[in-house]
Amino acid sequence: SSSFSKLLTKKDLSRRPTFIDPFLLACNTRNAKYAGSAAVCLQRLVIIRGLPKSRLKDVLDAFNACT
């Protein structure tokens, strides 16, 4: 049941494209503390495929802003 609830959460997240906006904003602040934490969160979302496909370009742009 635990993996089932994780699957539901992942699907729920990928259906809500605006939930990643705070992470994108944090990356664009160029503040090392905020950007670093946001980049880690976004990387984890990429790994579990929890990102909306419509926002992948925004996430790539945010990763570029973090560097």
Side-chain angles (χ1 to χ4, degrees), residues 48-63:
I48 66 163
R49 296 181 181 180
L51 289 175
K53 289 183 181 181
S54 62
R55 302 298 305 268
L56 290 178
K57 184 183 180 321
D58 296 329
V59 172
L60 291 174
D61 291 342
F63 283 142

Side-chain angles (χ1 to χ4, degrees), residues 2-25:
S2 176
S3 60
F4 180 73
S5 63
K6 288 180 185 177
L7 179 64
L8 284 177
T9 302
K10 179 173 69 170
K11 286 184 178 182
D12 289 341
L13 290 177
S14 65
R15 290 185 187 131
R16 293 181 169 88
T18 58
F19 88 91
I20 64 167
D21 287 347
F23 301 110
L24 300 177
L25 289 171

